[in-house]
């Protein structure tokens, strides 16, 4: 079975631009979460979606938004990019939203802001 | 508030040595789950083990074992007979009823295994 897939793998943008990152969960998983991982740090939670509804939001500005589609895939959008948005963006999926079921992560999208 | 502390920044060992990674967590919730993830240079976070707050039984799975002690809020992880392929960053994570699904990660511990 395919794992969590993310696209694109790498992305280079300039300050002020907009970016869309995509994620396809493991088949059967209804929960998708997004994390930002700055170099040398642990991942920081951004959003969680379950059954197409937002279930949680981390401490990120409104420039960050996300949505989940009927097929449970998800998009993360970031507007007005800043240098500090340079990071590895990880998508994770799980059967349900939290608890015993572990989250399974994709390879991530490496976003570089020039 | 939830917090996970991994005090060890980097651990270097020679192949076949055992490696123990420390994790200390903070939460006021009585129901929670603890996880260990491995992140190789490729970047993908790989799920390794989990433990719930009601089960303090320590287990062994292959070369991995873990020691969960609620009294000291610690969830330590051991790799026995390390191999070069174990070289990676290891993260401890906490999931609590206060914020289900919003994993709180530690800063990670870099493990370097040399032949």
């Amino acid at each position: 079975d395919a794992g969590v897939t993310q696209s694109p793998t790498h992305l280079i943008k300039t300050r002020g631009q907009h970016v869309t990152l995509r994620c396809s969960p493991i088949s059967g998983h209804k929960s998708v979460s997004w994390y930002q991982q700055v170099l040398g740090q642990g991942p920081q939670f951004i959003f969680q979606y379950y059954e197409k509804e937002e279930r949680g939001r981390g401490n990120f500005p409104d420039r960050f938004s996300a949505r989940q589609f009927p097929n449970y895939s998800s998009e993360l959008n970031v507007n007005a990019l800043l240098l500090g948005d340079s990071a590895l963006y990880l998508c994770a999926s799980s059967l349900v939203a939290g608890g015993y079921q572990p989250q399974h992560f994709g390879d991530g999208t490496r976003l570089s802001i020039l | 508030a939830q917090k996970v502390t991994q005090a060890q920044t980097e651990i270097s060992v020679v192949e076949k040595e055992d490696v123990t990674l420390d994790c200390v967590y903070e939460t006021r919730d009585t129901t929670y789950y603890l996880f260990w993830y491995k992140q190789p240079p490729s970047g993908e976070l790989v799920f390794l083990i989990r433990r719930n707050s009601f089960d303090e039984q320590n287990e062994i799975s292959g070369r991995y074992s873990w020691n969960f002690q609620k009294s000291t809020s610690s969830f330590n992880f051991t790799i026995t007979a390390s191999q070069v392929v174990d070289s990676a960053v290891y993260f401890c994570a906490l999931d609590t009823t206060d914020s289900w699904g919003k994993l709180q990660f530690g800063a990670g511990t870099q493990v370097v295994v040399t032949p």
Side-chain angles (χ1 to χ4, degrees):
Chain A
D1 286 343
V4 177
T5 58
Q6 292 186 242
S7 63
T9 305
H10 294 86
L11 204 51
I12 299 175
K13 292 285 189 178
T14 58
R15 283 176 296 176
Q17 284 189 313
H18 162 91
V19 68
T20 298
L21 310 181
R22 295 178 174 83
C23 172
S24 292
I26 292 172
S27 178
H29 285 193
K30 298 181 179 181
S31 178
V32 170
S33 298
W34 288 94
Y35 293 82
Q36 181 197 64
Q37 186 178 20
V38 173
L39 191 63
Q41 298 181 17
Q44 296 292 318
F45 171 78
I46 308 175
F47 283 109
Q48 181 189 53
Y49 278 79
Y50 179 66
E51 287 283 18
K52 290 152 283 186
E53 291 189 3
E54 183 181 307
R55 289 288 299 271
R57 183 188 182 111
N59 188 24
F60 281 81
D62 292 342
R63 299 185 296 108
F64 289 75
S65 63
R67 54 179 175 169
Q68 187 177 33
F69 299 99
N71 66 354
Y72 301 109
S73 67
S74 178
E75 282 183 355
L76 174 69
N77 295 283
V78 187
N79 293 323
L81 288 167
L82 303 174
L83 292 178
D85 295 331
S86 295
L88 177 66
Y89 288 84
L90 294 162
C91 174
S93 76
S94 57
L95 283 171
V96 295
Y100 182 73
Q101 295 294 335
Q103 295 184 26
H104 297 274
F105 287 80
D107 288 343
T109 295
R110 291 191 182 276
L111 177 62
S112 298
I113 310 301
L114 302 180
Chain B
Q2 283 71 242
K3 185 179 179 181
V4 176
T5 302
Q6 294 181 253
Q8 304 153 307
T9 305
E10 181 172 328
I11 300 175
S12 295
V13 297
V14 177
E15 212 170 15
K16 298 185 182 178
E17 289 184 338
D18 296 348
V19 180
T20 295
L21 308 178
D22 298 335
C23 173
V24 174
Y25 62 93
E26 295 177 28
T27 180
R28 282 179 284 192
D29 289 334
T30 57
T31 301
Y32 51 88
Y33 288 87
L34 293 159
F35 302 84
W36 277 98
Y37 283 87
K38 171 184 179 181
Q39 188 174 42
S42 59
E44 178 186 3
L45 276 167
V46 179
F47 164 70
L48 297 177
I49 59 172
R50 66 175 164 237
R51 174 59 63 198
N52 71 57
S53 54
F54 298 107
D55 185 0
E56 289 193 68
Q57 182 177 359
N58 297 313
E59 293 188 19
I60 297 174
S61 176
R63 295 189 298 111
Y64 299 152
S65 61
W66 48 99
N67 185 343
F68 174 41
Q69 294 191 350
K70 286 180 72 171
S71 60
T72 57
S73 296
S74 65
F75 184 51
N76 298 335
F77 176 68
T78 298
I79 305 171
T80 302
S82 61
Q83 301 174 2
V84 173
V85 293
D86 295 326
S87 296
V89 181
Y90 290 80
F91 290 96
C92 179
L94 171 67
D95 195 6
T96 73
T97 52
D98 183 51
S99 55
W100 270 144
K102 308 172 189 64
L103 292 177
Q104 178 71 43
F105 284 88
T109 298
Q110 173 80 57
V111 173
V112 179
V113 182
T114 54

